[in-house]
């Protein structure tokens, strides 16, 4: 009489967790293929990897990869603690919500990132025997629908938040991660994320308090923003740890690009004198 519970808790949750890991793998391979191609493909007397438009595409791919991998590894840590039987009630609640949101967001990001790789390869990006990139894109489309389509996952997350208040646990968990960031170089991104967190909480409460039609109309845009917040916090925590260990890291630079693109209201690269340096 435990069959359905086992399917939902073990099979679906495990598949959704590993689906996100697979999406990170697809995007990582696509980035390697695109970066390597860009170092060798010559156009107008220079390798295309030196041109700003290609640099920008590669930087966006890498920052997205770091962000989705950061949230997925954070989820992996929760899975590990649950397997060991040491997860707190809050951690179990965060896992229940994050496993669905993270699967949805990471699969979309992987598909879009692989399309950027195809763009860098040009016509070669569609040729099956030139590189692995066309197969990566086909696999990414499967990952998007596998173990729950986008709409299903977003609506399930919304129902769980309405019924069990899982978002309250998530915001407390993310707040603790933010409080643990101590490196001075990350104070700016930390403050910005804190501000976006409060805005995200208010938008989410409005969504959950609305009519069923209102919720179904706006759930994806709110979950999209929530996923970006989670990824930004997790990447910030990673950058803080690597800086505290004095490890060589490009995580702070990737975090800045990710925040500017996804969380900074009104950010305009044209007004950023350091934009070319950042990418």
């Amino acid at each position: 009489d435990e069959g359905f519970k086992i399917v939902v808790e073990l099979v679906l949750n495990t598949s959704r967790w590993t689906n996100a890991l697979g999406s990170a793998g697809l995007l990582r391979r696509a980035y390697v293929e695109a970066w390597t191609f860009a170092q060798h493909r010559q156009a107008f007397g220079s390798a295309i990897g030196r041109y700003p438009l290609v640099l920008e595409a590669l930087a966006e791919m890498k920052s997205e990869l770091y962000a989705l991998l950061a949230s997925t590894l954070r989820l992996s840590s929760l899975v590990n603690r649950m397997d060991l039987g040491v997860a707190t009630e809050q951690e179990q609640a965060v896992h229940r919500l994050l496993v669905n949101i993270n699967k949805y967001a990471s699969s979309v990001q992987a598909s879009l990132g692989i399309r950027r790789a195809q763009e860098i390869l040009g016509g070669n990006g569609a040729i099956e025997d030139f590189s692995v990139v066309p197969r990566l894109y086909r696999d990414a489309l499967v990952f998007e629908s596998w173990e729950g389509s986008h709409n299903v996952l977003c609506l399930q997350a919304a129902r769980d938040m309405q019924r069990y208040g899982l978002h309250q646990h998530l915001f407390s968990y993310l707040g603790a991660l933010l409080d643990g960031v101590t490196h001075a170089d990350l104070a700016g991104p930390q403050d910005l994320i804190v501000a976006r967190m409060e805005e995200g909480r208010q938008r989410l409460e409005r969504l959950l308090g609305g009519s069923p039609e209102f919720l179904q109309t706006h759930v994806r845009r709110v979950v999209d923003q929530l996923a970006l917040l989670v990824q930004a916090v997790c990447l910030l925590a990673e950058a803080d740890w690597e800086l505290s260990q004095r490890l060589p890291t490009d995580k702070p630079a990737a975090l800045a690009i990710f925040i500017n693109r996804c969380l900074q209201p009104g950010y305009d690269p044209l007004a950023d004198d350091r934009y070319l340096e950042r990418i």
Side-chain angles (χ1 to χ4, degrees), residues 20-21 24-25 64-74 231 238:
L21 286 168
E64 292 276 349
L65 170 63
Y66 277 170
L68 76 87
L69 184 58
S71 62
T72 302
L73 292 179
R74 181 65 56 176
Q231 292 179 343
E238 274 191 17

Side-chain angles (χ1 to χ4, degrees), residues 131-148:
S131 80
V132 72
V133 173
R135 179 178 66 78
L136 296 178
Y137 188 59
R138 289 199 306 274
D139 289 348
L141 295 178
V142 175
F143 276 36
E144 285 199 52
S145 297
W146 190 254
E147 302 297 10

Side-chain angles (χ1 to χ4, degrees), residues 165-257:
L166 299 184
H167 55 298
Q168 304 296 351
H169 293 285
L170 177 63
F171 280 113
S172 295
Y173 181 80
L174 296 177
L177 287 179
L178 283 168
D179 290 342
V181 173
T182 59
H183 202 281
D185 290 350
L186 299 174
Q190 184 179 19
D191 291 342
L192 188 145
I193 294 173
V194 169
R196 297 291 85 76
M197 283 260 294
E198 184 55 35
E199 292 176 6
R201 186 197 299 270
Q202 293 176 10
R203 282 166 56 88
L204 186 56
E205 293 290 359
R206 183 184 175 197
L207 176 79
L208 299 178
S211 67
E213 292 79 10
F214 181 83
L215 185 146
Q216 291 187 29
T217 301
H218 300 292
V219 64
R220 281 187 62 162
R221 72 187 90 257
V222 174
V223 171
D224 284 343
Q225 195 68 11
L226 181 60
L228 293 173
L229 280 170
V230 170
Q231 292 179 343
V233 173
C234 292
L235 184 53
L236 176 72
E238 274 191 17
D240 181 68
W241 184 86
E242 293 185 5
L243 288 172
S244 69
Q245 299 298 310
R246 299 185 177 180
L247 298 172
T249 177
D250 57 357
K251 296 283 176 65
L255 176 67
I257 291 173

Side-chain angles (χ1 to χ4, degrees), residues 7-18 95 99-100:
V7 167
V8 172
E9 294 187 359
L10 297 180
V11 179
L12 285 181
N13 283 347
T14 300
S15 293
R16 288 170 180 173
W17 161 51
T18 55
H95 168 269
V99 73
N100 295 319

Side-chain angles (χ1 to χ4, degrees), residues 27 30 61 110-120 133 137:
L27 183 53
M61 287 177 65
S111 290
L112 294 176
I114 295 168
R115 285 288 294 112
R116 301 306 302 274
Q118 289 181 308
E119 176 188 342
I120 291 171
V133 173
Y137 188 59

